[in-house]
Amino acid sequence: MQWMCYSVSIVKQYNEKTYLLIALFLLALFLSPLFLLGEDAHIRVHDNLDSNLAWYKVLHESGETFGELGATIPQVINGLPRNTFGTEWSIIVWLHELFPTMTAYALSQALTRMVAFFGMYLLLRKHFIRDQRKALIRVGVALAFAFTPFWPSGMLSTLGHPLALWAFLNIRSGDLSWKNWITLGLIPLYASIVLGFFFFLAAVSLLWLYDLLKKKEWNLVFLASIAFMTIVFLAIEYRLVFSLITEHQPMHRTEFISSRHDLLHSVDLSIRNFFLGHTHVMTVHAMIIMPILFLTLGLLLFRKKQRIEKLFIFLFILNYGLSLWYALWFNEFWTPLKERFDLLVTFNFARFHFLRPLVIYMSFAIACSILWNMGKKWKAVATGVVIAQLIVLIPFNEEVHYGIYHKTPSFREFYAEEQFKQIKNYIGTSQQEYRVASIGLHPAIAQYNGFYTLDTYNNLYPLTYKYKFRKIIANELEKNSGLKRYFDEWGSRCYLFVDELGKKYNYKKDSDKKIKDLDLNIQAFKDMGGSYIFSSVPIINAEENNLFLEKAFDHSNSAWKIYLYKVKLPSV
């Protein structure tokens, strides 16, 4: 408690502008490794380096950024539908059109975190924490929200919620300033409706319905603002709309099987999600925020509640409700409906839990405000926990989290451009003339370096292709029930799965792993155009699979040692 009192004595002398300047400095410091280290920076691999960043580069180099609705990208799986890469009317696509990949990534991070910071700050200042004395809470919580390790390619899909809610609540209260409408019109250019804003707009629509039922207020302008943002999203995501309303070939998502859990498993998952969060919407709230939320709830249970306190209790219940919904979406009782309606399979309605970052950090701010009102010692607690949450988030800076703690490859080491240039030159044929696949290595690496791959990681591709590709790995899948279920019931990672490697795709050059009993259908691989396999580990029985080692490639700027195997089938 003494250190908390000391922290109050230090910070209470500053005004709000000073807090804002300090916060912006800290945010710039947080982002600085991306700009200072460039391609030597360490960033997230999962659903980032292994996929999205390569996708942007492939799209850019394909010349199909503005491709027709039926266009394909020949570099991936002999013709991946252009619509898989999403709309060209997204700022993140343009960043990757205009700048090198790592520069575009750094700019995207900066833009997203700045909007997250100012969005949460404006929302708290205008609608929830107006007391001038609570500037530290407003600024500190907003900065903590901006520090969260969000999913990079989600952009403002979740971190834009506070700014959008600020604009919606302004309009709801009768403020029709152009700033609110411009905000609602611009956010869709840097967010995805399916990765966050569908669920947000549904929640705001329920707020409008609440006003109608409880207050008997139609508030048509508020309703029009919801319709306006929805229309802007649909216009920008016209490729998605086209895919939904027109006849097209079945995609692999139609065979997703997600409802397997019994009730006990669902309850357990809901509790874990409630306390620990989800990889795509990490809020890092377990250590500081969650105890403060429970403490505040306990203090409020036995007192007459004011309006802001009722809102806190509502948000607390909603917080767990979203986790429960997330968990129940995977419960077996959905199976009959999912078998009947494809939309329930192809669209992930569990993502209502993507609202949780907004709910958690609003709850945290309100909890700190409530504690502040309880007296001097509680002011120290409120101040101390805001500062503590900022400290807790520092290790989740990408350079610290991935470079120091997890020791993953840097951007340069991961994509290993110089090494793959050597491989390309060694093969000596135009990359368009042959197809490759990878073992123990993400196919995104080969794609990033211009190779035409039969394997891929994409969230939408033709089901017929999945069946053809499965023939290559059928024997390996039969050896491993986990891999078989992973591919057959999900399949977005259309990889050359190997029983001995499991679901690990990052065997670095210091690994001593070897594949001793590979069993691939190389004829099926050849029939699809396959000529080479890039493996990050040696294959002992390669020749039994009609694979012959051409050369092993190593490079000081690469995390991998690549064994280049060429397909040589016996002549008939």
Side-chain angles (χ1 to χ4, degrees):
M1 182 64 72
Q2 287 184 342
W3 76 269
M4 290 184 177
C5 293
Y6 179 68
S7 67
V8 173
S9 66
I10 292 176
V11 301
K12 69 180 181 180
Q13 58 187 302
Y14 298 126
N15 60 34
E16 193 149 3
K17 289 183 179 179
T18 304
Y19 289 137
L20 286 170
L21 289 174
I22 294 173
L24 290 175
F25 170 76
L26 292 175
L27 186 54
L29 195 63
F30 193 87
L31 290 163
S32 62
L34 296 174
F35 293 93
L36 295 177
L37 297 177
E39 293 192 354
D40 292 316
H42 296 82
I43 61 177
R44 176 182 172 131
V45 173
H46 177 63
D47 284 351
N48 192 38
L49 283 170
D50 69 353
S51 48
N52 295 78
L53 295 187
W55 298 348
Y56 298 130
K57 190 169 187 286
V58 167
L59 178 62
H60 170 62
E61 295 185 346
S62 72
E64 293 289 349
T65 300
F66 291 95
E68 297 178 357
L69 289 170
T72 59
I73 309 294
Q75 186 185 340
V76 183
I77 66 169
N78 289 328
L80 183 68
R82 160 64 185 87
N83 292 349
T84 295
F85 291 94
T87 182
E88 62 271 34
W89 302 113
S90 172
I91 294 174
I92 197 167
V93 170
W94 280 99
L95 287 174
H96 285 270
E97 287 284 328
L98 297 172
F99 300 100
T101 302
M102 192 59 210
T103 303
Y105 181 83
L107 291 171
S108 178
Q109 283 277 314
L111 176 59
T112 303
R113 294 188 187 278
M114 287 291 288
V115 173
F117 170 70
F118 281 109
M120 181 61 78
Y121 170 73
L122 291 172
L123 176 66
L124 295 177
R125 189 183 70 173
K126 179 70 179 289
H127 296 286
F128 299 106
I129 304 179
R130 301 186 183 93
D131 190 333
Q132 292 299 315
R133 297 170 299 171
K134 298 176 182 177
L136 176 67
I137 296 175
R138 285 190 291 273
V139 177
V141 172
L143 182 60
F145 182 72
F147 276 5
T148 57
F150 69 97
W151 177 45
S153 287
M155 306 165 286
L156 296 178
S157 300
T158 54
L159 269 71
H161 290 174
L163 185 61
L165 184 58
W166 168 79
F168 276 126
L169 292 181
N170 289 345
I171 294 172
R172 178 182 182 234
S173 63
D175 178 2
L176 305 183
S177 168
W178 61 270
K179 295 178 183 178
N180 300 319
W181 295 93
I182 289 292
T183 298
L184 298 181
L186 290 180
I187 287 177
L189 291 170
Y190 206 60
S192 167
I193 192 168
V194 298
L195 296 175
F197 264 90
F198 170 86
F199 314 101
F200 176 82
L201 289 168
V204 175
S205 299
L206 290 177
L207 177 59
W208 175 85
L209 186 61
Y210 167 83
D211 288 344
L212 176 62
L213 298 177
K214 182 76 173 179
K215 303 178 181 179
K216 310 301 180 184
E217 295 178 0
W218 281 89
N219 203 340
L220 294 179
V221 177
F222 181 32
L223 180 61
S225 69
I226 300 171
F228 169 69
M229 191 178 206
T230 303
I231 291 170
V232 174
F233 262 116
L234 293 178
I236 290 172
E237 298 280 3
Y238 76 97
R239 292 181 183 273
L240 173 64
V241 174
F242 175 82
S243 298
L244 290 174
I245 65 176
T246 60
E247 293 184 5
H248 55 278
Q249 60 181 320
M251 294 293 170
H252 85 287
R253 295 179 70 89
T254 60
E255 290 197 338
F256 279 8
I257 297 178
S258 57
S259 294
R260 286 189 170 276
H261 299 170
D262 57 28
L263 186 59
L264 186 62
H265 193 157
S266 294
V267 172
D268 175 67
L269 179 59
S270 73
I271 294 171
R272 283 188 283 120
N273 180 263
F274 181 61
F275 284 99
L276 301 177
H278 185 276
T279 181
H280 285 152
V281 282
M282 286 294 291
T283 43
V284 194
H285 62 279
M287 186 179 297
I288 302 297
I289 294 179
M290 194 58 74
I292 290 300
L293 298 187
F294 273 99
L295 172 63
T296 305
L297 180 66
L299 292 172
L300 294 180
L301 286 179
F302 304 103
R303 55 179 281 177
K304 186 176 180 180
K305 299 167 187 63
Q306 300 176 0
R307 183 177 178 183
I308 194 70
E309 294 168 348
K310 291 178 180 178
L311 175 61
F312 170 80
I313 293 173
F314 168 76
L315 290 175
F316 189 96
I317 296 171
L318 176 62
N319 190 3
Y320 178 69
L322 292 170
S323 290
L324 182 61
W325 170 261
Y326 161 75
L328 289 177
W329 184 250
F330 305 107
N331 191 278
E332 58 192 4
F333 70 69
W334 283 102
T335 300
L337 283 174
K338 289 185 177 182
E339 289 177 348
R340 185 174 180 182
F341 301 104
D342 284 348
L343 182 63
L344 298 181
V345 176
T346 58
F347 189 80
N348 189 356
F349 285 95
R351 285 177 177 158
F352 272 101
H353 77 102
F354 279 20
L355 295 170
R356 292 190 70 226
L358 171 66
V359 171
I360 288 170
Y361 276 85
M362 276 183 57
S363 300
F364 182 44
I366 293 171
C368 290
S369 177
I370 292 170
L371 294 177
W372 182 287
N373 293 336
M374 292 183 176
K376 185 175 180 180
K377 289 185 178 180
W378 289 108
K379 286 182 182 179
V381 172
T383 300
V385 295
V386 169
I387 295 172
Q389 179 62 18
L390 289 169
I391 294 172
V392 165
L393 285 163
I394 291 173
F396 288 87
N397 174 279
E398 285 188 292
E399 190 60 38
V400 176
H401 190 65
Y402 297 108
I404 297 175
Y405 181 70
H406 287 291
K407 300 186 185 302
T408 61
S410 67
F411 179 96
R412 188 189 308 279
E413 292 169 333
F414 185 86
Y415 285 125
E417 291 182 76
E418 292 149 341
Q419 182 183 27
F420 277 84
K421 185 177 180 180
Q422 291 177 350
I423 298 173
K424 181 185 73 171
N425 292 338
Y426 176 85
I427 294 173
T429 307
S430 171
Q431 290 171 305
Q432 302 177 23
E433 301 300 319
Y434 58 91
R435 302 293 182 265
V436 306
S438 300
I439 290 178
L441 202 67
H442 292 288
I445 299 171
Q447 291 169 2
Y448 187 89
N449 286 285
F451 289 94
Y452 284 57
T453 70
L454 294 178
D455 50 351
T456 193
Y457 176 20
N458 283 101
N459 54 27
L460 198 67
Y461 66 90
L463 183 60
T464 53
Y465 188 87
K466 180 182 177 182
Y467 293 160
K468 290 180 181 178
F469 190 88
R470 193 188 190 283
K471 294 178 182 179
I472 305 172
I473 57 175
N475 293 337
E476 288 294 323
L477 295 182
E478 289 303 318
K479 298 179 189 177
N480 190 316
S481 60
L483 285 178
K484 183 178 180 180
R485 194 169 101 176
Y486 186 64
F487 183 80
D488 289 344
E489 299 184 8
W490 187 57
S492 290
R493 291 193 190 273
C494 190
Y495 284 20
L496 287 185
F497 287 114
V498 177
D499 169 47
E500 295 172 66
L501 302 186
K503 290 191 287 184
K504 184 176 179 181
Y505 334 107
N506 57 346
Y507 286 92
K508 294 190 284 188
K509 63 175 67 176
D510 58 0
S511 171
D512 58 1
K513 184 70 175 180
K514 297 178 182 179
I515 299 174
K516 300 176 182 178
D517 186 28
L518 183 67
D519 189 4
L520 297 180
N521 185 339
I522 295 300
Q523 182 63 59
F525 180 72
K526 186 72 173 178
D527 291 343
M528 296 177 72
S531 298
Y532 295 95
I533 287 179
F534 301 155
S535 179
S536 61
V537 297
I539 303 171
I540 302 303
N541 68 329
E543 293 187 12
E544 294 177 21
N545 288 267
N546 296 305
L547 297 173
F548 296 85
L549 181 63
E550 292 278 298
K551 187 178 179 180
F553 294 83
D554 197 356
H555 196 282
S556 59
N557 288 334
S558 170
W560 330 107
K561 184 173 183 179
I562 305 298
Y563 298 86
L564 176 66
Y565 290 95
K566 186 173 183 179
V567 173
K568 294 181 181 179
L569 289 172
S571 57
V572 179

Short mmCIF file of all heavy atoms in Angstrom, two decimals, residues 129-169:
data_model
loop_
_atom_site.label_atom_id
_atom_site.label_comp_id
_atom_site.label_asym_id
_atom_site.label_seq_id
_atom_site.Cartn_x
_atom_site.Cartn_y
_atom_site.Cartn_z
N ILE A 129 -16.00 8.44 -17.61
CA ILE A 129 -15.17 8.98 -16.52
C ILE A 129 -14.91 10.45 -16.82
O ILE A 129 -13.85 10.82 -17.35
CB ILE A 129 -13.86 8.19 -16.37
CG1 ILE A 129 -14.17 6.71 -16.16
CG2 ILE A 129 -13.04 8.71 -15.19
CD1 ILE A 129 -12.95 5.83 -16.02
N ARG A 130 -15.86 11.29 -16.48
CA ARG A 130 -15.78 12.71 -16.82
C ARG A 130 -15.04 13.53 -15.77
O ARG A 130 -14.59 14.64 -16.07
CB ARG A 130 -17.19 13.28 -17.00
CG ARG A 130 -18.00 12.58 -18.10
CD ARG A 130 -19.33 13.30 -18.32
NE ARG A 130 -20.16 12.63 -19.30
CZ ARG A 130 -21.09 11.72 -19.01
NH1 ARG A 130 -21.29 11.40 -17.73
NH2 ARG A 130 -21.80 11.15 -19.95
N ASP A 131 -14.93 13.04 -14.58
CA ASP A 131 -14.30 13.78 -13.48
C ASP A 131 -12.87 14.17 -13.88
O ASP A 131 -12.04 13.32 -14.19
CB ASP A 131 -14.27 12.89 -12.23
CG ASP A 131 -13.86 13.66 -10.97
OD1 ASP A 131 -13.14 14.67 -11.11
OD2 ASP A 131 -14.24 13.23 -9.88
N GLN A 132 -12.58 15.46 -13.86
CA GLN A 132 -11.27 15.96 -14.26
C GLN A 132 -10.14 15.38 -13.41
O GLN A 132 -9.01 15.24 -13.87
CB GLN A 132 -11.25 17.49 -14.18
CG GLN A 132 -12.14 18.18 -15.19
CD GLN A 132 -11.72 17.88 -16.62
OE1 GLN A 132 -10.54 17.91 -16.96
NE2 GLN A 132 -12.70 17.56 -17.47
N ARG A 133 -10.45 15.06 -12.15
CA ARG A 133 -9.41 14.55 -11.25
C ARG A 133 -8.96 13.13 -11.61
O ARG A 133 -7.95 12.66 -11.09
CB ARG A 133 -9.93 14.56 -9.81
CG ARG A 133 -10.27 15.94 -9.26
CD ARG A 133 -10.99 15.82 -7.95
NE ARG A 133 -12.25 15.08 -8.09
CZ ARG A 133 -13.00 14.67 -7.06
NH1 ARG A 133 -12.60 14.91 -5.81
NH2 ARG A 133 -14.13 14.03 -7.27
N LYS A 134 -9.71 12.46 -12.49
CA LYS A 134 -9.41 11.07 -12.82
C LYS A 134 -8.70 10.93 -14.16
O LYS A 134 -8.83 9.93 -14.86
CB LYS A 134 -10.71 10.25 -12.82
CG LYS A 134 -11.40 10.24 -11.46
CD LYS A 134 -12.74 9.52 -11.51
CE LYS A 134 -13.43 9.55 -10.16
NZ LYS A 134 -14.77 8.92 -10.20
N ALA A 135 -7.93 11.96 -14.49
CA ALA A 135 -7.21 11.94 -15.78
C ALA A 135 -6.27 10.75 -15.89
O ALA A 135 -6.14 10.15 -16.95
CB ALA A 135 -6.43 13.24 -15.95
N LEU A 136 -5.62 10.41 -14.79
CA LEU A 136 -4.68 9.29 -14.81
C LEU A 136 -5.39 7.99 -15.21
O LEU A 136 -4.84 7.18 -15.96
CB LEU A 136 -4.01 9.13 -13.46
CG LEU A 136 -3.08 7.91 -13.35
CD1 LEU A 136 -1.87 8.08 -14.25
CD2 LEU A 136 -2.66 7.64 -11.92
N ILE A 137 -6.60 7.79 -14.70
CA ILE A 137 -7.35 6.58 -15.03
C ILE A 137 -7.68 6.56 -16.52
O ILE A 137 -7.47 5.54 -17.20
CB ILE A 137 -8.63 6.49 -14.18
CG1 ILE A 137 -8.28 6.34 -12.71
CG2 ILE A 137 -9.50 5.33 -14.66
CD1 ILE A 137 -9.47 6.37 -11.78
N ARG A 138 -8.19 7.67 -17.03
CA ARG A 138 -8.55 7.74 -18.45
C ARG A 138 -7.35 7.45 -19.34
O ARG A 138 -7.40 6.60 -20.24
CB ARG A 138 -9.11 9.13 -18.79
CG ARG A 138 -10.50 9.40 -18.30
CD ARG A 138 -11.02 10.70 -18.89
NE ARG A 138 -10.33 11.87 -18.38
CZ ARG A 138 -10.66 12.53 -17.27
NH1 ARG A 138 -11.67 12.10 -16.54
NH2 ARG A 138 -9.97 13.58 -16.87
N VAL A 139 -6.28 8.16 -19.10
CA VAL A 139 -5.10 8.05 -19.95
C VAL A 139 -4.40 6.70 -19.74
O VAL A 139 -3.99 6.04 -20.70
CB VAL A 139 -4.12 9.22 -19.69
CG1 VAL A 139 -2.86 9.06 -20.53
CG2 VAL A 139 -4.80 10.55 -20.01
N GLY A 140 -4.27 6.30 -18.49
CA GLY A 140 -3.56 5.05 -18.19
C GLY A 140 -4.27 3.83 -18.75
O GLY A 140 -3.63 2.94 -19.33
N VAL A 141 -5.58 3.76 -18.59
CA VAL A 141 -6.33 2.61 -19.10
C VAL A 141 -6.31 2.62 -20.63
O VAL A 141 -6.19 1.57 -21.26
CB VAL A 141 -7.78 2.61 -18.56
CG1 VAL A 141 -8.62 1.54 -19.26
CG2 VAL A 141 -7.77 2.38 -17.06
N ALA A 142 -6.42 3.80 -21.23
CA ALA A 142 -6.36 3.88 -22.69
C ALA A 142 -5.00 3.40 -23.21
O ALA A 142 -4.93 2.70 -24.22
CB ALA A 142 -6.62 5.32 -23.14
N LEU A 143 -3.93 3.77 -22.51
CA LEU A 143 -2.60 3.33 -22.93
C LEU A 143 -2.45 1.82 -22.75
O LEU A 143 -1.89 1.14 -23.62
CB LEU A 143 -1.53 4.07 -22.11
CG LEU A 143 -0.08 3.73 -22.48
CD1 LEU A 143 0.21 4.09 -23.94
CD2 LEU A 143 0.90 4.47 -21.56
N ALA A 144 -2.96 1.30 -21.65
CA ALA A 144 -2.91 -0.15 -21.44
C ALA A 144 -3.67 -0.88 -22.54
O ALA A 144 -3.21 -1.91 -23.06
CB ALA A 144 -3.49 -0.50 -20.06
N PHE A 145 -4.82 -0.36 -22.91
CA PHE A 145 -5.60 -0.96 -24.00
C PHE A 145 -4.80 -0.97 -25.29
O PHE A 145 -4.79 -1.95 -26.03
CB PHE A 145 -6.90 -0.18 -24.18
CG PHE A 145 -7.81 -0.72 -25.23
CD1 PHE A 145 -8.50 -1.90 -25.04
CD2 PHE A 145 -7.98 -0.05 -26.43
CE1 PHE A 145 -9.35 -2.40 -26.02
CE2 PHE A 145 -8.81 -0.54 -27.42
CZ PHE A 145 -9.51 -1.73 -27.21
N ALA A 146 -4.07 0.11 -25.54
CA ALA A 146 -3.26 0.20 -26.77
C ALA A 146 -2.05 -0.71 -26.72
O ALA A 146 -1.51 -1.07 -27.76
CB ALA A 146 -2.82 1.65 -26.99
N PHE A 147 -1.61 -1.10 -25.54
CA PHE A 147 -0.46 -2.00 -25.38
C PHE A 147 -0.83 -3.47 -25.57
O PHE A 147 0.05 -4.31 -25.67
CB PHE A 147 0.14 -1.84 -23.98
CG PHE A 147 1.12 -0.70 -23.86
CD1 PHE A 147 1.37 0.18 -24.90
CD2 PHE A 147 1.80 -0.48 -22.66
CE1 PHE A 147 2.27 1.23 -24.78
CE2 PHE A 147 2.71 0.56 -22.52
CZ PHE A 147 2.94 1.42 -23.58
N THR A 148 -2.11 -3.80 -25.58
CA THR A 148 -2.50 -5.21 -25.61
C THR A 148 -1.96 -5.91 -26.85
O THR A 148 -1.90 -5.31 -27.93
CB THR A 148 -4.03 -5.36 -25.56
OG1 THR A 148 -4.62 -4.65 -26.65
CG2 THR A 148 -4.59 -4.86 -24.25
N PRO A 149 -1.60 -7.18 -26.75
CA PRO A 149 -1.01 -7.91 -27.89
C PRO A 149 -2.09 -8.42 -28.85
O PRO A 149 -2.35 -9.62 -28.95
CB PRO A 149 -0.28 -9.07 -27.20
CG PRO A 149 -1.04 -9.30 -25.94
CD PRO A 149 -1.54 -7.96 -25.49
N PHE A 150 -2.72 -7.47 -29.53
CA PHE A 150 -3.81 -7.82 -30.45
C PHE A 150 -3.30 -8.59 -31.66
O PHE A 150 -2.10 -8.58 -31.97
CB PHE A 150 -4.53 -6.55 -30.91
CG PHE A 150 -3.71 -5.67 -31.82
CD1 PHE A 150 -3.86 -5.74 -33.19
CD2 PHE A 150 -2.79 -4.76 -31.31
CE1 PHE A 150 -3.12 -4.94 -34.05
CE2 PHE A 150 -2.04 -3.96 -32.15
CZ PHE A 150 -2.19 -4.06 -33.53
N TRP A 151 -4.21 -9.25 -32.35
CA TRP A 151 -3.86 -9.97 -33.57
C TRP A 151 -3.59 -8.94 -34.67
O TRP A 151 -4.47 -8.16 -35.03
CB TRP A 151 -5.00 -10.90 -33.97
CG TRP A 151 -4.76 -11.62 -35.25
CD1 TRP A 151 -3.61 -12.23 -35.65
CD2 TRP A 151 -5.70 -11.80 -36.32
NE1 TRP A 151 -3.76 -12.79 -36.90
CE2 TRP A 151 -5.04 -12.53 -37.33
CE3 TRP A 151 -7.02 -11.42 -36.51
CZ2 TRP A 151 -5.67 -12.89 -38.52
CZ3 TRP A 151 -7.65 -11.77 -37.68
CH2 TRP A 151 -6.97 -12.50 -38.67
N PRO A 152 -2.38 -8.89 -35.23
CA PRO A 152 -1.98 -7.79 -36.12
C PRO A 152 -2.89 -7.59 -37.33
O PRO A 152 -3.26 -6.45 -37.64
CB PRO A 152 -0.56 -8.19 -36.56
CG PRO A 152 -0.06 -9.03 -35.45
CD PRO A 152 -1.24 -9.79 -34.96
N SER A 153 -3.28 -8.66 -38.01
CA SER A 153 -4.09 -8.48 -39.21
C SER A 153 -5.56 -8.24 -38.89
O SER A 153 -6.37 -8.06 -39.80
CB SER A 153 -3.93 -9.69 -40.14
OG SER A 153 -2.66 -9.67 -40.75
N GLY A 154 -5.90 -8.24 -37.60
CA GLY A 154 -7.24 -7.83 -37.21
C GLY A 154 -7.42 -6.33 -37.30
O GLY A 154 -8.53 -5.83 -37.36
N MET A 155 -6.29 -5.62 -37.29
CA MET A 155 -6.29 -4.15 -37.40
C MET A 155 -7.23 -3.56 -36.34
O MET A 155 -7.05 -3.82 -35.16
CB MET A 155 -6.69 -3.72 -38.80
CG MET A 155 -5.85 -4.34 -39.90
SD MET A 155 -6.61 -4.18 -41.54
CE MET A 155 -7.94 -5.38 -41.44
N LEU A 156 -8.22 -2.78 -36.78
CA LEU A 156 -9.15 -2.14 -35.85
C LEU A 156 -10.40 -2.98 -35.62
O LEU A 156 -11.39 -2.48 -35.08
CB LEU A 156 -9.54 -0.75 -36.36
CG LEU A 156 -8.41 0.27 -36.46
CD1 LEU A 156 -8.93 1.58 -37.02
CD2 LEU A 156 -7.76 0.50 -35.09
N SER A 157 -10.36 -4.24 -36.03
CA SER A 157 -11.55 -5.08 -35.91
C SER A 157 -12.01 -5.22 -34.47
O SER A 157 -13.19 -5.40 -34.20
CB SER A 157 -11.29 -6.45 -36.52
OG SER A 157 -10.95 -6.34 -37.88
N THR A 158 -11.08 -5.16 -33.52
CA THR A 158 -11.43 -5.12 -32.10
C THR A 158 -10.93 -3.84 -31.43
O THR A 158 -11.64 -3.24 -30.65
CB THR A 158 -10.86 -6.34 -31.35
OG1 THR A 158 -9.45 -6.42 -31.58
CG2 THR A 158 -11.50 -7.63 -31.83
N LEU A 159 -9.73 -3.40 -31.78
CA LEU A 159 -9.18 -2.22 -31.13
C LEU A 159 -9.85 -0.93 -31.60
O LEU A 159 -9.65 0.13 -31.01
CB LEU A 159 -7.66 -2.14 -31.33
CG LEU A 159 -6.87 -2.84 -30.21
CD1 LEU A 159 -7.03 -4.35 -30.30
CD2 LEU A 159 -5.41 -2.47 -30.24
N GLY A 160 -10.66 -1.02 -32.64
CA GLY A 160 -11.42 0.15 -33.09
C GLY A 160 -12.77 0.28 -32.42
O GLY A 160 -13.47 1.28 -32.61
N HIS A 161 -13.15 -0.70 -31.60
CA HIS A 161 -14.46 -0.67 -30.95
C HIS A 161 -14.67 0.56 -30.05
O HIS A 161 -15.74 1.17 -30.09
CB HIS A 161 -14.70 -1.95 -30.14
CG HIS A 161 -14.89 -3.16 -30.99
ND1 HIS A 161 -14.99 -4.44 -30.47
CD2 HIS A 161 -15.01 -3.31 -32.34
CE1 HIS A 161 -15.17 -5.31 -31.46
NE2 HIS A 161 -15.16 -4.65 -32.59
N PRO A 162 -13.67 0.94 -29.23
CA PRO A 162 -13.91 2.13 -28.39
C PRO A 162 -14.20 3.39 -29.19
O PRO A 162 -15.09 4.17 -28.83
CB PRO A 162 -12.61 2.25 -27.59
CG PRO A 162 -12.06 0.87 -27.56
CD PRO A 162 -12.39 0.29 -28.90
N LEU A 163 -13.44 3.62 -30.26
CA LEU A 163 -13.66 4.83 -31.06
C LEU A 163 -15.04 4.78 -31.72
O LEU A 163 -15.75 5.80 -31.76
CB LEU A 163 -12.57 4.97 -32.12
CG LEU A 163 -12.61 6.26 -32.94
CD1 LEU A 163 -12.43 7.47 -32.05
CD2 LEU A 163 -11.54 6.23 -34.04
N ALA A 164 -15.43 3.63 -32.24
CA ALA A 164 -16.75 3.51 -32.85
C ALA A 164 -17.85 3.70 -31.81
O ALA A 164 -18.86 4.37 -32.09
CB ALA A 164 -16.88 2.14 -33.53
N LEU A 165 -17.66 3.14 -30.62
CA LEU A 165 -18.68 3.31 -29.57
C LEU A 165 -18.78 4.76 -29.15
O LEU A 165 -19.88 5.26 -28.88
CB LEU A 165 -18.33 2.42 -28.37
CG LEU A 165 -19.35 2.42 -27.23
CD1 LEU A 165 -20.72 1.97 -27.71
CD2 LEU A 165 -18.86 1.53 -26.07
N TRP A 166 -17.65 5.44 -29.08
CA TRP A 166 -17.66 6.89 -28.79
C TRP A 166 -18.54 7.63 -29.79
O TRP A 166 -19.39 8.45 -29.41
CB TRP A 166 -16.22 7.41 -28.85
CG TRP A 166 -16.09 8.91 -28.85
CD1 TRP A 166 -16.18 9.76 -27.79
CD2 TRP A 166 -15.84 9.73 -30.00
NE1 TRP A 166 -15.99 11.06 -28.19
CE2 TRP A 166 -15.78 11.08 -29.55
CE3 TRP A 166 -15.64 9.47 -31.35
CZ2 TRP A 166 -15.55 12.14 -30.42
CZ3 TRP A 166 -15.40 10.53 -32.21
CH2 TRP A 166 -15.36 11.84 -31.75
N ALA A 167 -18.37 7.35 -31.07
CA ALA A 167 -19.16 8.02 -32.10
C ALA A 167 -20.63 7.64 -32.00
O ALA A 167 -21.52 8.50 -32.10
CB ALA A 167 -18.61 7.67 -33.49
N PHE A 168 -20.91 6.35 -31.79
CA PHE A 168 -22.31 5.92 -31.68
C PHE A 168 -23.00 6.54 -30.47
O PHE A 168 -24.16 6.98 -30.57
CB PHE A 168 -22.37 4.39 -31.59
CG PHE A 168 -22.35 3.69 -32.92
CD1 PHE A 168 -21.42 2.70 -33.17
CD2 PHE A 168 -23.26 4.02 -33.92
CE1 PHE A 168 -21.40 2.04 -34.40
CE2 PHE A 168 -23.25 3.37 -35.14
CZ PHE A 168 -22.31 2.39 -35.38
N LEU A 169 -22.32 6.57 -29.32
CA LEU A 169 -22.94 7.15 -28.13
C LEU A 169 -23.13 8.65 -28.28
O LEU A 169 -24.10 9.22 -27.75
CB LEU A 169 -22.08 6.84 -26.90
CG LEU A 169 -22.03 5.38 -26.47
CD1 LEU A 169 -21.16 5.21 -25.23
CD2 LEU A 169 -23.42 4.81 -26.23
#
